[in-house]
Amino acid sequence: MTRRKTSSLADLDARWRPDDKTGPECGYTFREKTCPKSGAHYCEPRADRVVMFFRQLLVHIKGPLKRTPFVLLDWQEFEIIRPLFGEVQWSTEWECYARRYRIGYIVVARKNGKSEIAAGIQLYLLVGDDEDSAEVYCAAADTKQAGKVFEPALRMVQLSPVLSKRLRHVKNARRLVDEKTGSHYEILTADAKGELGHNPHGFNLDEVLSQPDGSMWEAMTTAAGARLQELMYATTTETDDGASFGAELIDEAERIQVDPARAPHVFSFVRKLPFSREELTRLREAFPGHPHLPVSVDPFDERNWKWPNPALDQFKSRDAMRRQALEARTEPSKENGFRQFQVNQRVQQKSRWMPMHLFDRCAGEVWSRPDQQRAKFVGSSAWVGFDLAAKFDLTSWCLLIPHGDEVHALWRCWAPESAIEHLDKHTSGKWSRFARDGWVTVTDGDVVDYQRIYADIAQDAADFHLVAADADQWSMAPVIQEVEARIGVWEVQAYNNTYQHMTGGMDKLMELVRTDKLRHHGNPISQLAFDAVEVRRAPYNPELIRPDKPERDKSGKRIDPVVTAAMACNAWMREPMKWSEPVRRKVVVS
């Protein structure tokens, strides 16, 4: 196979970066090239230095390019190495420019050179980053897996005339030592309890999908902070366990790739074949004009292979993929493996749903508290969604209020004290802040205070013309009867939250977001919920969807505001009363 030029791929100066003008002229110089920029910027000479380190000191150790200089491919150079090492920002603490990215995620299908590029990054951090006493680590689920990253680095050292003289290999400890700077590089296993005394300058967690939990990642990332420009990064292929630490990390990497302002210090390179049309649309919006975007979500369409396999036709064989695709087509037991490992697709019937950059655009006037401008809607017609959920957890009530060309969503949320304590543990105290600002009403004890819920609902019934309402069946008959009495309903119909019942409301809600008609006024609980929600697709018809509720006892994710907003949309579509018609109130229990 020949090295094929892909495209220019990236205008590095045009990448998103913080609007930070702090700092003098950069002035960094490498090989007679000096950076004249200031503030947060892409520093080309710094990136040149890393690219040249790969080219002059490292070699490929296997495959068709073995023993040849490690000349980075276009996608490796312009989409990973140059932005990762070239983006800088002024540090007021250190009074100099330092790398902006301190955390990185690289997510591609198998056989795309993750281990080799990770080994090269580790060696640069060890000897090329001007860091004395640098501690550089790699880790995986076990010593054998971690060795898959360490051994390529060791082989690169052995084949490099410069590095083989400078670095000493301590075989029994699987450690490389740079005695000139007092630095070392070694492997760690997944037992994070013994890894809390480190001061890492570099850390690579390899194949995150095999990690039992996030303890190792947390141990090392929380140990950082004493270095000028440490780099903690994870390399992985997609997982098949949607509830795992790996899935959580990959999902966050995707969010940051779409919206880099979400975490300016985090670099994300994610190449996955989308699972749904919504994911494909979101991908096209995030990478307009990219030459390798997939044309569909079909894993067997060769036109879709290049996106999750940037090394395809370079050092990953297309013929080999064709053979594996043929086997997956003819042997259904191999299809999931092909999807997960060859096109980097999560093998499950659920996927992320909401493009958060579009949802954030729908904030409208941002309120600092939930009742800030409520008075201007009093007397309006409203449609309701109600989800009691478990009596020990969050309860949500949503009003949809059409007003001119916009549709305003006003939520109420209630939770007992014990639920807030649990949610705080998973969200760094966010729910206590929500309670302090009035976005969630916290009641005493371990169970929901129904009387407080009834009182608040009665207030809404007095303030608005409640035309129709959907409520989850789990709200229980006695609660529904009480709600009926409080708001004066005249008809109740009970049905479950099935694909058939939820698809219409979810589609309507997405339409309101995509057409920029929804206004949520920056409600932080709704932002958390819409960011977390995943949808499950009916196995018999992928057009049918419903929200996939998270395991409440294992995470801090709560999607109740999404469910109630979708149910309110259902009520609105079922009873689309015109504003001039007399009010007719109706509750349907779903």
Side-chain angles (χ1 to χ4, degrees):
M1 284 176 286
T2 59
R3 185 184 300 273
R4 183 181 301 173
K5 185 175 178 62
T6 55
S7 73
S8 60
L9 290 176
D11 179 355
L12 292 163
D13 285 320
R15 288 178 64 94
W16 180 92
R17 58 183 56 87
D19 185 18
D20 182 358
K21 308 300 184 185
T22 308
E25 181 178 301
C26 177
Y28 187 90
T29 299
F30 178 71
R31 293 198 168 183
E32 299 183 355
K33 181 187 293 182
T34 299
C35 180
K37 302 172 186 175
S38 60
H41 65 278
Y42 167 65
C43 178
E44 187 174 3
R46 294 175 199 260
D48 287 347
R49 175 174 174 169
V50 187
V51 171
M52 196 58 62
F53 179 88
F54 273 78
R55 181 189 296 263
Q56 293 195 339
L57 297 185
L58 307 180
V59 298
H60 291 284
I61 59 172
K62 57 186 176 182
L65 302 176
K66 62 184 178 183
R67 293 181 180 262
T68 63
F70 200 147
V71 179
L72 293 165
L73 300 172
D74 279 4
W75 62 273
Q76 293 173 322
E77 178 177 346
F78 292 98
E79 296 193 79
I80 297 178
I81 294 300
R82 284 191 175 276
L84 182 60
F85 287 92
E87 286 288 331
V88 298
Q89 200 166 4
W90 180 257
S91 169
T92 55
E93 182 178 21
W94 295 88
E95 295 187 337
C96 65
Y97 281 101
R99 281 195 298 271
R100 173 158 62 89
Y101 293 126
R102 304 308 176 89
I103 292 176
Y105 303 125
I106 300 173
V107 185
V108 293
R110 285 192 173 173
K111 304 303 179 183
N112 279 277
K114 293 189 301 294
S115 295
E116 275 202 333
I117 201 165
I121 290 173
Q122 298 292 76
L123 290 173
Y124 178 80
L125 294 173
L126 178 66
V127 300
D129 212 24
D130 293 333
E131 183 74 16
D132 284 345
S133 302
E135 299 177 26
V136 181
Y137 303 99
C138 67
D142 51 43
T143 301
K144 181 179 179 180
Q145 180 64 37
K148 291 182 179 180
V149 175
F150 180 81
E151 288 163 11
L154 174 61
R155 186 60 177 155
M156 287 179 185
V157 170
Q158 292 170 338
L159 294 175
S160 169
V162 175
L163 295 182
S164 61
K165 292 179 180 178
R166 177 162 173 174
L167 299 176
R168 178 170 58 89
H169 177 212
V170 183
K171 187 174 182 180
N172 292 337
R174 280 194 173 178
R175 172 184 288 206
L176 291 171
V177 178
D178 181 9
E179 295 177 344
K180 179 178 179 180
T181 61
S183 303
H184 68 267
Y185 170 37
E186 65 179 280
I187 65 172
L188 304 172
T189 61
D191 182 8
K193 294 180 181 179
E195 313 303 343
L196 300 179
H198 299 300
N199 178 20
H201 176 59
F203 173 65
N204 171 228
L205 185 62
D206 186 48
E207 291 298 5
V208 176
L209 78 164
S210 63
Q211 288 290 310
D213 54 44
S215 56
M216 171 65 83
W217 181 251
E218 181 181 7
M220 297 304 286
T221 54
T222 55
R227 303 278 185 176
L228 170 62
Q229 47 184 11
E230 72 280 349
L231 178 60
M232 315 285 122
Y233 66 104
T235 50
T236 191
T237 301
E238 182 57 278
T239 179
D240 62 353
D241 182 358
S244 65
F245 162 69
E248 182 179 327
L249 183 145
I250 293 168
D251 288 346
E252 179 64 10
E254 287 190 276
R255 295 185 184 106
I256 293 169
Q257 180 168 258
V258 170
D259 179 18
R262 177 186 181 93
H265 66 292
V266 179
F267 170 82
S268 184
F269 179 83
V270 181
R271 294 295 181 266
K272 295 171 46 180
L273 181 63
F275 188 82
S276 67
R277 290 191 304 173
E278 290 84 355
E279 289 183 356
L280 180 60
T281 298
R282 186 160 58 242
L283 190 64
R284 289 171 175 168
E285 291 172 347
F287 293 91
H290 195 290
H292 302 145
L293 285 173
V295 299
S296 70
V297 298
D298 181 1
F300 300 112
D301 187 335
E302 289 193 26
R303 295 174 296 173
N304 299 328
W305 290 355
K306 185 66 173 178
W307 180 256
N309 293 282
L312 190 65
D313 300 322
Q314 295 172 326
F315 56 80
K316 181 165 183 173
S317 168
R318 184 178 292 270
D319 286 341
M321 276 201 72
R322 285 171 176 159
R323 291 192 294 271
Q324 293 170 7
L326 180 61
E327 291 178 359
R329 277 180 177 273
T330 56
E331 298 181 50
S333 62
K334 295 184 177 181
E335 180 176 339
N336 281 356
F338 180 81
R339 286 179 178 271
Q340 180 182 356
F341 299 122
Q342 297 304 321
V343 296
N344 213 26
Q345 192 177 64
R346 189 169 300 173
V347 183
Q348 56 182 15
Q349 294 298 318
K350 62 182 182 179
S351 58
R352 285 189 65 227
W353 181 61
M354 177 56 63
M356 285 307 293
H357 66 292
L358 297 182
F359 185 78
D360 292 341
R361 184 187 65 181
C362 290
E365 180 185 6
V366 176
W367 297 354
S368 59
R369 60 183 189 279
D371 60 350
Q372 183 170 321
Q373 296 292 334
R374 175 186 168 98
K376 72 179 183 181
F377 298 110
V378 169
S380 300
S381 297
W383 285 257
V384 178
F386 179 49
D387 184 7
L388 184 67
K391 63 182 179 179
F392 305 104
D393 213 308
L394 187 69
T395 292
S396 177
W397 164 277
C398 178
L399 299 177
L400 280 188
I401 304 173
H403 193 268
D405 292 331
E406 300 175 336
V407 180
H408 299 262
L410 307 184
W411 283 274
R412 288 187 185 271
C413 292
W414 303 268
E417 284 179 316
S418 58
I420 297 298
E421 293 174 3
H422 171 78
L423 293 170
D424 272 348
K425 290 178 181 178
H426 291 274
T427 60
S428 302
K430 286 183 179 180
W431 283 86
S432 288
R433 295 193 291 274
F434 297 159
R436 184 183 63 239
D437 295 335
W439 297 104
V440 58
T441 299
V442 181
T443 60
D444 294 339
D446 296 331
V447 298
V448 173
D449 183 345
Y450 293 110
Q451 296 307 314
R452 177 57 190 269
I453 293 175
Y454 297 151
D456 289 341
I457 288 175
Q459 183 63 56
D460 282 353
D463 290 344
F464 306 99
H465 300 304
L466 304 185
V467 181
D470 276 17
D472 190 283
Q473 187 179 29
W474 286 101
S475 297
M476 301 177 295
V479 176
I480 292 299
Q481 291 169 4
E482 184 64 29
V483 170
E484 178 180 2
R486 299 279 179 147
I487 67 175
V489 300
W490 59 273
E491 180 180 351
V492 174
Q493 297 178 5
Y495 53 87
N496 294 322
N497 276 348
T498 61
Y499 291 111
Q500 286 80 3
H501 288 132
M502 292 305 295
T503 296
M506 296 289 284
D507 287 348
K508 183 64 176 179
L509 186 55
M510 180 63 79
E511 176 190 320
L512 293 174
V513 171
R514 288 196 173 277
T515 56
D516 195 22
K517 292 182 177 179
L518 185 72
R519 293 293 176 263
H520 55 76
H521 302 291
N523 182 310
I525 296 179
S526 76
Q527 291 174 314
L528 206 64
F530 277 82
D531 195 18
V533 69
E534 296 178 316
V535 294
R536 187 171 291 274
R537 298 182 178 277
Y540 52 87
N541 184 352
E543 298 298 315
L544 300 179
I545 62 174
R546 60 177 175 81
D548 189 74
K549 293 191 175 183
E551 297 182 65
R552 293 176 178 268
D553 58 336
K554 294 183 179 180
S555 78
K557 293 181 178 180
R558 294 297 181 268
I559 64 167
D560 305 75
V562 180
V563 175
T564 54
M567 290 192 293
C569 285
N570 273 335
W572 186 23
M573 290 187 293
R574 188 180 60 255
E575 297 285 340
M577 188 198 73
K578 300 194 184 303
W579 314 158
S580 59
E581 293 179 355
V583 174
R584 181 175 68 166
R585 296 176 182 169
K586 178 178 180 181
V587 168
V588 175
V589 184
S590 57

